[in-house]
Amino acid sequence: MKKPVRVAITGGAGQIAYSLVFRIASGEMLGQDQPVILHMLEVPAALEALKGVVMELHDCAYPLLEDIVMTDDVNIAFSDVDYALLVGAKPRGPGMERSDLLKINGEIFTEQGKALNDFASRDIKVLIVGNPANTNAYITMHSAPDLDRKQFSSMTRLDHNRAVSQLAEKTGVKITAVKNVIIWGNHSTTQYPDINHATINGQPAKSLVEQDWIINEFMPTVQQRGTAIIKARGGKSSAASAAFAAMSHMRDWVMGTDEWTSMSIPSDGSYNIPEGLIYSFPVTIKDGKINIVQGLEIDQFSNKLLIATQHELEQECEAVADLLV
Ligand code: NAD
Ligand code: LMR
């Protein structure tokens, strides 16, 4: 057995956390030989509800769960933590865009970035899930200047999974037959779900579906899936699929993957995306290092969409400039 690692989850009494923490405690995220200590953060008003989640965690008698820290103090929540999944934030409701949450949630991430900077393990890996996820990650990263930018990411894995699933369903293949789908840009409706490089059982995906379906069905379905789920669930946003995506994102970051996946990470200038912008790229991961897939040909149509989502992210960053260190 390895030495236990500390995993922080914010919004511990929320919907996503309820689908997430049990899987982390069971070893699904970090492996069956990795004991964990969960650090769960909530606002004071939700501590009683969090207590209920903690009771259920105990009732599972997970062999890998060494301890649980339950707190409303962000500094305690992030003390010595090795992994942080920042989920806690207000979700949007019907009729809202994720960017409507910029100001409401932005301040949470300033405070949490500072606490990560001052109290977390120097090797921490941080995943931001709370919306608007990319810009919240940007705020968190800027609030933690002593940590390396490469330690911050936000989640477009759910969009990636949605795209893979839509493509598999359309072409009548298993999920595992679909490779090299990409989500570029922001976790918002301007994201670009790109299948130009995707394959299905080794065949170019584009040769198996019509262009009209890509433009008028596939792309809007993936871009607007969050809204469709909110409508179908009577106002509640996606939770189990978001939790699974968060866990998969972190697991791949730690364990590595040769398969392309999509992660929002600080740009290194690849594909002319300005350095430091938290932008979703196609990536592979080796030894904990996230590598942007290089050398892809970007046609004119795609280039326009890459730039449009970049511009939206730049505007979001401008809107929160007063929160940045
Ligand atoms: P929820 O309302 O069920 O839970 C959020 C929890 O966070 C609540 O219990 C709340 O008390 C807590 N919280 C609020 N402020 C906090 C703070 N400062 N510190 C600690 N906890 C705090 O919401 P949810 O459905 O779990 O969604 C959480 C967030 O994740 C939302 O912003 C939602 O939009 C986002 N989300 C992102 C994706 C993605 O793909 N990136 C997918 C789904 C949901
Ligand atoms: C999603 O994509 O399901 C989440 O970001 C929730 C939302 O607001 O759409």
Side-chain angles (χ1 to χ4, degrees), residues 63-243:
L64 290 170
L65 183 56
E66 293 250 330
D67 200 1
I68 304 172
V69 176
M70 179 180 112
T71 181
D72 60 359
D73 181 332
V74 68
N75 297 344
I76 294 173
F78 292 155
S79 276
D80 299 324
V81 295
D82 303 286
Y83 306 98
L85 295 95
L86 308 191
V87 178
K90 191 177 156 47
R92 68 174 165 149
M96 290 171 84
E97 282 305 321
R98 297 183 188 100
S99 55
D100 294 333
L101 299 169
L102 266 180
K103 288 281 176 197
I104 303 173
N105 286 337
E107 284 171 19
I108 296 175
F109 294 89
T110 314
E111 187 197 20
Q112 294 187 356
K114 284 182 185 149
L116 287 166
N117 191 64
D118 295 345
F119 295 101
S121 153
R122 295 305 83 186
D123 296 323
I124 183 149
K125 289 180 165 56
V126 185
L127 165 63
I128 283 85
V129 175
N131 277 319
N134 295 56
T135 300
N136 288 338
Y138 186 81
I139 296 170
T140 312
M141 179 178 86
H142 277 269
S143 306
D146 299 340
L147 296 171
D148 192 314
R149 289 182 165 199
K150 294 197 174 83
Q151 293 172 262
F152 295 87
S153 65
S154 76
M155 192 166 96
T156 29
R157 179 61 169 267
L158 178 54
D159 310 283
H160 183 96
N161 290 346
R162 288 167 173 167
V164 169
S165 165
Q166 291 297 319
L167 199 49
E169 191 185 333
K170 171 75 178 171
T171 53
V173 300
K174 287 187 179 166
I175 292 288
T176 49
V178 179
K179 310 277 184 218
N180 299 359
V181 161
I182 304 170
I183 304 294
W184 299 96
N186 197 4
H187 174 60
S188 75
T189 47
T190 69
Q191 67 179 261
Y192 173 35
D194 176 6
I195 63 162
N196 280 309
H197 310 277
T199 59
I200 293 174
N201 285 322
Q203 297 241 88
K206 280 192 81 169
S207 66
L208 301 173
V209 293
E210 316 84 56
Q211 185 67 6
D212 180 60
W213 176 79
I214 299 173
I215 309 280
N216 294 315
E217 286 193 47
F218 169 73
M219 286 175 49
T221 299
V222 177
Q223 289 164 329
Q224 290 161 28
R225 189 67 159 186
T227 307
I229 304 266
I230 290 170
K231 190 160 174 248
R233 289 191 1 106
K236 288 194 203 153
S237 60
S238 63
S241 55

